[in-house]
Every structure is written in C-alpha cells, then in structure tokens.
Amino acid sequence: MKTVYLDNAATTSVAPEVLEEMLPFFKEEFGNPSSFHSFGSSQMEAIEKARGQVARLLGAKCEEIFFTSGGTESDNQAIRGAVKIDSARTGIVTSAVEHPAVMETANVLEDEGNSLGIVGVNKNGELDLESLKGLVNQQTAIVSIMAANNETGVIMPLKKAAKITHEAGALFHTDAVQMVGKVPIDVHALNIDILSLSAHKLHGPKGVGAIYIKKGIKLPPILTGGHQEKGVRSGTYNTPGIVGLGKAAELALTHLNDTASKERKLRESFEKQVLESCPGSFVVADGAEYRLPGTVTIIFEGIESEAVLTLLDMQGVYASSGSACSTGSKNPSHVLYAMGIDYTLANSALRFSLSRYTTKEEIKRTVELLSKVVERLRSISPYTQ
Amino acid sequence: MKTVYLDNAATTSVAPEVLEEMLPFFKEEFGNPSSFHSFGSSQMEAIEKARGQVARLLGAKCEEIFFTSGGTESDNQAIRGAVKIDSARTGIVTSAVEHPAVMETANVLEDEGNSLGIVGVNKNGELDLESLKGLVNQQTAIVSIMAANNETGVIMPLKKAAKITHEAGALFHTDAVQMVGKVPIDVHALNIDILSLSAHKLHGPKGVGAIYIKKGIKLPPILTGGHQEKGVRSGTYNTPGIVGLGKAAELALTHLNDTASKERKLRESFEKQVLESCPGSFVVADGAEYRLPGTVTIIFEGIESEAVLTLLDMQGVYASSGSACSTGSKNPSHVLYAMGIDYTLANSALRFSLSRYTTKEEIKRTVELLSKVVERLRSISPYTQ
C-alpha cells in the first residue's frame, strides 16, 4: 500500500542528499573532531561547513551558531540560561501557545521561583502584542515567542515582539523549529537574540539541532564539560548529525521559495476540497494574517479526531490530532484552548502538515479518503443524529 | 597509506552491524515515535528493544534506562539533578581525575553555592577511599566517581565507594563511559544508583547515550518539554541513534569476554615491546590493581608528546596526548597531576587505546614506528643531550 505522510510538523523524512552526506562520518571518517591528530581534527572542517550552511539559512554569522541535540535542548538553554545572566532579571514571558519544550520549562522555572507571564492569542491564534507590552518589564530576563505555531501554522509577529522586548531591556528568544526551512527568516533583520531550530523538522536527522545566539550575548551553558562549541555546549561533536543538519539547511535554502509556493498551493487546494466535501468542517486560524505554507488544522464537528486518524491510518494516510511532542497526552490541545476553541471541538481537530515532497496526487487521495471517513463516522456519531 | 587507530578512548568506529541497524530509521522508518499513527508509534518497539539491549549490558531493568544525547548530558543530569532532590542535601563529592563533564559541572555548581569535596588518588591513580569517607556526610547529595579513568585506564573501586556513599545516605553516580562494553559491569551487584554511558565509545554512533537510574530514585530532568522518557528526558526520540546504541550494546555484550582478553594481551605485549625498544619510557599507573584491558598511557621522558603525535600522525598512526574531550586545551593532564606526575613528565605522556578491531600487526607497526620516532626526537632534544 502506498502511504501518504502528512505529519511533517511532527517529523520529516531525511532527504537522500542529507543521508549521503552523513554516511562517510559513520564509516571511514569516524574520528573525534576534538582530537589532536589529523584523523579527528580534519572533521572540524566538515563541522564548520555545516555551521556556515545553517548560518546562511538564518542570515546569521557563523560564530552565532552552536550545535545542540535538538530543539528541546536549544529551548531549554535559551530560557534556563537567560534567567541566570543577571540576578536582577529573572522573569520569563512567553505565549499561551508554545511548544512544551518552552512552556514546560517556563513552568518548572516558575516553580523554582522565577516570575512567569503568559501572553494570550486571539481567536486566530495571533499574539496579543498589547498583552506582551503589559507583561514585559525591567525584571524580565527573556521573552520567548514561537516563530510559527506547530498546530495552526500561525506565524507570530517576531519583529514587533522583539521590539517590545528590547524596549524593556530583555532578551528575545524564538522557538523557530516549525518555521526554519519553510519560509525565509533573517535573525538580524528581525532583531532576534536567540533562536532554536531542529534538524529533523527540515529533512535532517533526529538528535541534532542548533541554537543561534546573537554576538555579544553570553548565554550560560546547560551542558558543561569539555568546552566544545566555545563552552556554549559541551559534549563530543555529533559529526554525522551536524553534517546532516548543515546539508538539510543548504537544501532548504535552495528550495525555500519553490517549496513555500508549492506547499501553499497544495494546502490551499486541500483546504478548499475538504471544506467542500466534508460538511461541518472548518479551518482553524483561517483568518490569521500569516500562516505557514504547509500546515493546517481542520475541525470536523461532531467527530472524534482519533477515530478519523485510525481510519486514515488503516489506509496508509498519516496525519495528527495535534502535537506529537507530548507523548501519550490525552489532554485537548492547549493551543486550541488558548484560541477559545472548546474541549469538544478541540477533540475534533486534525492537523495535516505538508513537505516539499508532498504531491498533488497524495492530496487528492487524502481528500477522497477523508470525505468517506468523515461521512462514515458522521453516520454513527451520537452527536450528529 | 593504511592507518592504525589507537585512540578508541576518544571515540570508536561505528560497527558495520550498528550502521546497518540504523539505516532503515534514516530512510523509510522516519516517523516520530510519539505520533498517534502506526507509522510513528511502531518505532517505539525499536526503541524498547534498544532499551532492553542496554539494560542487559548493565544488569539493569529496562525501566531503569533512559536515552540521552551522550555521556556529557548524562553526567550533567546526574549531578545537576541530584543536588535538587533534597534541599538538605546539596553537597557534591567527586574525584580529582574525573572527565570534564563531571569535574566542570561540579565546579560550576560549587560557584553557584553547592559544597564540593574532591577525593584524591594515589600514585597509581587509584581512589583514596579513606579520603572519600572523610568527605561524604549528611549534607552530601551525590558522590560521582568514574568507573575507569579515560587516560590511565585505572578501574575504580565502585562497590566500596558506593558502600561508603550509602552509609552517609547520599546517591552514588558513576561516569562509566570508558568502562561500559569493555569489561563486565553489573549495576545492581555494585549498588550503583546512577550511571552514565555513551554510544560512541562502544562502536555506536555519536550524539546518543543513556543514563541508568535505579528504580525508586526520582532524578529531576535537565531537559524539560514533551515528557518523553517518562519525563526524565524530553526531546524527540533520536530513533536511529537509539537503535544504534542498542545494537552496539548487544554486540559489546556478545564479544565482552573475548574482547577483554584479546585487548589485554595486545596491550600487555605493546607495553612490553615499547618499554624494551624505547629507553626512558614507563607505563603510567603500572602498579594499579585493576586497569582497563585496552587503554594505556606511556611517558617518554625528555620528549614532548605533541611532537611524537605529529610524527606518528604523518605515518597514519593515531594516538592521543590525553583526553580529546577538552577541546584545544593545552593544559597538562589534571589526571596525571593528581597522581603526582610533574608538568614536564605529563607533557611527555601519550595515550594508546585499543578496540576489538585492533590487530597484532597494527601493534607491531606502531611499536616499530614509535621506537624510531622516539629515537629521532631524543637525538634532537635539549633535555637528552
């Protein structure tokens, strides 16, 4: 059975070019980049090449990029590090729709005594900038606002949020895991201080990511040890992973405009066809000003999303009921809740996320299957009798 | 030129069987293990298989194994986590010969207000158990003693150290990165509470490791987020890396006795030949009761180790002047210093570390080259004129 993978916001396939670039570092090129001998130290060249590839994708300088084990580690370092820089500034401000790597970390730090302010969103999932203004102050260490939401695809006003943050003298961090590689981003133009990204969301390997830290900011490490990455992140270099991230970043940059335009067309066509063929369905955050090209959450009123997912799954079509990042969580989405969507509707939400490999045929097949599945479930649902 | 790799304490080659096991998870099996759909969730089986493979190598239960990004992260979590468990116990005790991932973390926490006690070693690099007794007390949160030293190969008396630790009611952690897969270890028999290991030291991939946490101990996470690994370590599962670590652990267990015996014979023969052919050389920690089978540091009096390394390197023989873990460090080894070896001698130290792939022919070639190199350097050294 040919499968259709529409869960690219959870993770993406590794691009064949990325794996090809990684393989030598699992085979003959296995040395430790920190070693004195040429067999190890020659690998630093590959690592520095990858650093350049990531920097170019972000509009950053090479020396502003540090490799980590992934988005979660980068987010943790951003927040846990920032609250340690200045003992007079220990407050955290974040949004109500963040990924758990930010949200949970902020909550844990609040339990440990840091103040925490939560910025709300409107019914389209867009950040309430006025609320941000009211929450950030002279005690704020860091404001962390995601670049694009992992469930709705809504893109946040980073430049405006960064400006408000800087007026209060705090650091501005963005979890850009969902955005990097999907739409252009320029950290300097947007005045971002710290940015998190993950390789496996842009057709790179799992277990590797990066943190951009604007030159001049001394962000304390959360992993201490052998002083790799200028002491910003200790631990033996994951050379294959880093090389894979670099190649993935290069490919993303090459395809950036084409991918965005292709994904947008496919997603818009998908939305249109689903709304037409499935009565009682609507697109979440439909009125948002900016959304990611390839991510959409659709609510099918009166139907449990897990039932739809199961029936799609049986036919080899893979989507999501929200974030895959909260393992085994049965709670309804905090993102939809923050947008004022009630529990019952939130339980009827399905996320479809495309990639540059998604085809028109796959979208067609998904729409056809979806309309049948929704019709079938509607016919047996107690809510729709 | 055929090369000889004798720097396996820095990192090892990925076993072909390990890479083979990983590859499907870079290709068709790329889903997110935390996803609801079968395409992702089926990967949890592979992860649980790997957990069993690692558990068996350590004599642990599956539920005591948690996957991390490597030894440095595991060490950081052990120490940073342990000092948070009980506010009445915030002290750290460690040895003078630890890896930077432990040493530096302990130093950073001391700067933040935690008390720190350092246990010395004797001239053979063996732990001073009487000193440990004097340092551990009712305020101690954790005692962290490495299983085997990365420079000398000296194996520490873990069972005795754990007993002393437990008598004071503290937790016992061991950085076993150098020991796991080289000699048998049984965490329950040794009464170890927390253990760190790294895949790339036992022919697994870089960027993945594990932490063993004895059942019943609630070690706080250092990476918070989506509650993967029962909340002990958040972050998207690095499935290929975890599967690779599992296979590497399985292979290590299969070969354990053969490898230890083969490496020991080769290393002893290497030592004997080097001492015979290079006058003024001696083996560090030669009188230690227990050493790793395949790791040895030899001091060549009157010669700078970096000169030897460079000349060996030019002939394709790769060794080390100590740890590769402190990037770019030019300081003499803190391990040798703790053993009472002076600065000049420490600068003449070379580490050779074998693996199960090391051959008799490679050892022969290294000895021949080494004697020539040492003779040549002696002839131009101002110290030996």
Side-chain angles (χ1 to χ4, degrees), chain A residues 3 5 7-8 10-15 19 22-23 25-27 29-41 43 69 72-73 76-77 80 84 99-102 104-106 108 112 200-201 205-208 221-229 233-240 305-307 309-310 313 317-321 323-328 330, chain B residues 3 5 7-8 10-15 19 22-23 25-27 29-41 43 69 72-73 76-77 80 84 99-102 104-106 108 112 200-201 205-208 221-229 233-240 305-307 309-310 313 317-321 323-328 330:
Chain A
T3 60
Y5 184 76
D7 198 12
N8 289 284
T11 195
T12 59
S13 62
V14 177
L19 181 57
M22 294 170 70
L23 282 178
F25 296 93
F26 283 121
K27 293 175 178 172
E29 293 290 330
F30 68 82
N32 189 324
S34 303
S35 289
F36 176 82
H37 49 70
S38 59
F39 180 65
S41 58
Q43 295 199 26
S69 70
T72 292
E73 185 188 320
N76 270 265
Q77 181 164 6
R80 291 175 184 271
K84 282 190 178 177
H99 184 276
V102 167
E104 182 75 12
T105 303
V108 166
E112 293 181 6
H200 78 96
K201 305 283 191 187
K206 295 181 180 68
V208 63
I222 52 171
L223 298 185
T224 40
H227 281 271
Q228 286 88 350
E229 295 293 78
R233 201 278 185 181
S234 291
T236 297
Y237 285 101
N238 173 5
T239 322
S305 55
E306 290 201 355
L309 284 181
T310 306
D313 190 342
V317 173
Y318 306 121
S320 158
S321 59
S323 165
C325 303
S326 292
T327 318
K330 291 278 174 198
Chain B
T3 59
Y5 185 75
D7 198 12
N8 289 283
T11 194
T12 59
S13 63
V14 177
L19 181 57
M22 293 170 70
L23 282 178
F25 297 93
F26 283 121
K27 295 175 176 171
E29 293 289 331
F30 67 83
N32 189 324
S34 303
S35 289
F36 176 83
H37 50 70
S38 59
F39 180 65
S41 58
Q43 295 199 26
S69 70
T72 292
E73 186 189 321
N76 270 265
Q77 180 164 5
R80 291 174 184 273
K84 282 190 177 177
H99 184 275
V102 166
E104 182 74 12
T105 303
V108 166
E112 293 181 7
H200 78 96
K201 305 283 191 187
K206 296 181 181 68
V208 62
I222 52 171
L223 298 185
T224 42
H227 280 271
Q228 286 89 349
E229 296 293 78
R233 202 277 184 182
S234 290
T236 297
Y237 286 99
N238 173 5
T239 322
S305 55
E306 290 201 355
L309 283 181
T310 306
D313 190 344
V317 173
Y318 306 122
S320 159
S321 59
S323 165
C325 303
S326 291
T327 317
K330 291 277 172 197

Side-chain angles (χ1 to χ4, degrees), chain B residues 15 97 99 119 122 145 173 268 272-273 278 282 307 338 366 385:
Chain B
V97 295
H99 184 275
V119 186
N122 66 16
I145 304 292
H173 166 250
E268 284 174 352
K272 191 165 170 283
Q273 292 178 68
C278 304
F282 65 92
T366 304
Q385 301 304 311

Side-chain angles (χ1 to χ4, degrees), chain A residues 342-358:
Chain A
D342 70 26
Y343 181 90
T344 313
L345 280 179
N347 266 338
S348 301
L350 282 181
R351 179 183 69 184
F352 303 89
S353 44
L354 286 58
S355 82
R356 67 172 179 260
Y357 299 109
T358 307

Side-chain angles (χ1 to χ4, degrees), chain A residues 242-255:
Chain A
I242 290 169
V243 164
L245 168 55
K247 187 67 185 178
E250 183 194 282
L251 290 170
L253 186 59
T254 307
H255 295 296

Side-chain angles (χ1 to χ4, degrees), chain A residues 77-197:
Chain A
Q77 181 164 6
I79 300 172
R80 291 175 184 271
V83 299
K84 282 190 178 177
I85 293 176
D86 176 356
S87 59
R89 283 186 177 271
T90 58
I92 302 161
V93 175
T94 187
S95 88
V97 296
E98 296 295 314
H99 184 276
V102 167
M103 183 74 83
E104 182 75 12
T105 303
N107 287 335
V108 166
L109 289 171
E110 187 186 24
D111 288 346
E112 293 181 6
N114 299 74
S115 79
L116 174 60
I118 304 286
V119 185
V121 295
N122 67 15
K123 67 181 170 55
N124 283 313
E126 295 168 314
L127 196 75
D128 180 350
L129 287 165
E130 284 308 309
S131 157
L132 174 60
K133 264 186 205 161
L135 286 167
V136 64
N137 58 42
Q138 298 300 317
Q139 283 76 52
T140 307
I142 186 165
V143 173
S144 178
I145 304 292
M146 67 199 329
N149 186 267
N150 48 317
E151 298 187 30
T152 61
V154 170
I155 294 176
M156 298 299 183
L158 296 185
K159 196 169 181 176
K160 289 176 187 165
K163 188 164 182 281
I164 294 167
T165 302
H166 292 145
E167 279 165 4
L171 292 174
F172 185 74
H173 166 249
T174 186
D175 172 353
V177 161
Q178 291 292 332
M179 182 133 116
V180 171
K182 310 280 173 64
V183 288
I185 187 165
D186 184 314
V187 286
H188 292 161
L190 294 170
N191 267 317
I192 294 166
D193 297 311
I194 311 171
L195 176 146
S196 306
L197 68 88

